[in-house]
Amino acid sequence: MSWFQMITTLFVVAIMVGASNAQLSATFYAKTCPNVSTIVRNVLQQAQQNDIWIFPKLVRLHFHDCFVHGCDASLLLNGTDSEKTATPNLSTDGYAVIDDIKTALEKACPRVVSCADILALAAQISVSLGGGPRWKVPLGRRDSRTAHREGTGTIPTGHESLANVATLFRSMGFDSTDLVALSGMHKHLLINSRIKSLFEDLNLINIPILGARCAAFMDRLYNFNNVSGKTDPTLNATYANALKQLCPKSGDVTSLIDLDEQTSLTFDNNYFLNLQNRRGLLQTDQELFSTNGAETVAIVNRFARSQSQFFSRFAKAMIKMGNINPLIGTNGEIRLDCKKIN
């Protein structure tokens, strides 16, 4: 699918967003499953004991689901045409926890809560448990009966230019502030002790580098602008050298940095401070604070100065994203198993 076709399709999706807002409600399950949020939170707190990465993983699942034909849980379906196995989703994870949440909810409220709403709630609760903002999640989505593998090309990979990503976001009803706010989810974490000493020596202890596969930024380290051996000049030199030690040119670029021990994950505005110091991990991250992204520079500066402003706009952007073309009313279904249609 060409970029023009993608944008045309997403423009139509964006038109549908406004119509859906009034039909979703934060109190949708007040009578049919009043403890839905508590049940989701309990499962996530338990899951975090076994997987310290689970919170950002679940937020990413919601993002990847909503950006393909809307927030309909089509991402969760298995099958030969599954979205899961499309290239942009090969590194997604957290599906087992979504299944655990669904199992718990089916015991408490059989055939009531959709998988699409589980994704939306799991994202919000993950952010809040990670130290980020809380917001009331509009609910009432239903689940798709089909996957939309052909639409996964709309998911940003981190290699696109800021101009292309901004065009994509605008086509879905987001403005520049939404784009910058949602980009702030690109991993706010502390480094695990196995490599902590390296980053302490380099004064980089709060840099968010473990949230992406090496393949997502190898070109910035070794082949910037398709020039062999060139490193992206917008990268802080010390940071670039640290990344090269963690992701050597001849290393395995397909897997995440191995974590043997516990780390602490926090949600805050350090991401924007890092951009100001030229320590953005992905190319599209750093371009938010470059001359090519002049409109976004002031927003980055504002969020770097005020965590409360970032939290407020992030919550609003997440609500807006969750309202992208949901199935409501009698459309779709309430899956009994998030991995397959009924």
Side-chain angles (χ1 to χ4, degrees):
M1 183 182 289
S2 68
W3 262 92
F4 176 77
Q5 290 172 315
M6 292 178 190
I7 298 304
T8 301
T9 300
L10 292 170
F11 179 74
V12 174
V13 169
I15 292 176
M16 300 177 182
V17 172
S20 71
N21 290 353
Q23 300 183 60
L24 297 178
S25 170
T27 60
F28 186 83
Y29 297 113
K31 294 182 179 179
T32 56
C33 195
N35 294 323
V36 58
S37 293
T38 299
I39 292 170
V40 174
R41 179 179 291 268
N42 288 342
V43 174
L44 292 187
Q45 288 176 322
Q46 182 60 43
Q48 204 266 348
Q49 300 300 310
N50 300 317
D51 182 0
I52 57 171
W53 297 92
I54 194 59
F55 296 158
K57 287 177 180 178
L58 295 178
V59 177
R60 190 174 181 222
L61 286 184
H62 185 41
F63 177 88
H64 281 227
D65 180 53
C66 290
F67 264 58
V68 180
H69 284 253
C71 308
D72 60 5
S74 58
L75 172 64
L76 304 180
L77 290 170
N78 288 341
T80 56
D81 62 344
S82 173
E83 295 173 30
K84 293 180 185 178
T85 56
T87 299
N89 291 324
L90 290 176
S91 61
T92 57
D93 198 3
Y95 297 103
V97 175
I98 297 297
D99 290 337
D100 290 342
I101 295 171
K102 181 62 173 174
T103 298
L105 286 171
E106 284 300 310
K107 289 180 180 178
C109 318
R111 300 173 180 266
V112 171
V113 182
S114 69
C115 299
D117 277 347
I118 288 174
L119 284 172
L121 282 169
Q124 184 277 314
I125 294 171
S126 291
V127 170
S128 65
L129 287 176
R134 297 185 178 189
W135 62 91
K136 293 182 179 180
V137 181
L139 300 167
R141 303 166 190 80
R142 289 169 66 86
D143 301 323
S144 171
R145 292 190 176 96
T146 59
H148 308 291
R149 185 184 178 90
E150 76 287 349
T152 57
T154 61
I155 299 172
T157 65
H159 295 286
E160 295 92 346
S161 68
L162 176 60
N164 283 345
V165 174
T167 298
L168 170 64
F169 272 65
R170 281 194 300 270
S171 73
M172 303 186 78
F174 296 107
D175 60 24
S176 294
T177 304
D178 295 324
L179 169 59
V180 177
L182 289 174
S183 296
M185 187 57 200
H186 283 176
K187 309 306 179 292
H188 308 277
L189 53 92
L190 300 175
I191 308 307
N192 81 316
S193 59
R194 191 167 68 86
I195 57 171
K196 182 177 179 181
S197 59
L198 165 65
F199 280 78
E200 284 179 334
D201 291 343
L202 298 174
N203 195 30
L204 295 173
I205 190 59
N206 288 318
I207 303 305
I209 63 92
L210 297 183
R213 296 177 184 274
C214 292
F217 51 87
M218 288 287 279
D219 54 341
R220 298 187 71 200
L221 301 179
Y222 304 108
N223 194 42
F224 184 66
N225 284 346
N226 293 319
V227 178
S228 180
K230 184 177 181 180
T231 300
D232 184 347
T234 66
L235 268 176
N236 175 282
T238 305
Y239 181 39
N241 288 333
L243 291 175
K244 288 178 180 179
Q245 292 185 52
L246 292 170
C247 299
K249 189 173 183 179
S250 59
D252 180 6
V253 301
T254 64
S255 60
L256 287 163
I257 300 297
D258 183 30
L259 292 176
D260 296 327
E261 302 163 7
Q262 293 289 316
T263 64
S264 298
L265 295 168
T266 59
F267 190 99
D268 53 33
N269 66 336
N270 282 344
Y271 169 84
F272 304 104
L273 299 173
N274 292 329
L275 294 187
Q276 290 178 326
N277 292 314
R278 297 190 298 118
R279 291 169 177 172
L281 181 60
L282 304 178
Q283 180 176 341
T284 50
D285 289 336
Q286 193 57 58
E287 283 194 24
L288 294 172
F289 197 70
S290 72
T291 55
N292 293 328
E295 183 181 7
T296 62
V297 172
I299 303 170
V300 170
N301 286 334
R302 187 166 82 247
F303 289 165
R305 288 193 302 268
S306 173
Q307 181 166 281
S308 63
Q309 286 195 36
F310 164 51
F311 278 14
S312 176
R313 286 309 302 249
F314 180 84
K316 291 178 181 178
M318 287 294 289
I319 292 172
K320 186 181 291 188
M321 185 180 76
N323 286 332
I324 296 176
N325 197 25
L327 296 173
I328 53 179
T330 59
N331 295 315
E333 64 181 13
I334 305 298
R335 287 185 215 142
L336 302 180
D337 181 338
C338 290
K339 299 186 294 299
K340 60 184 181 181
I341 61 174
N342 294 338

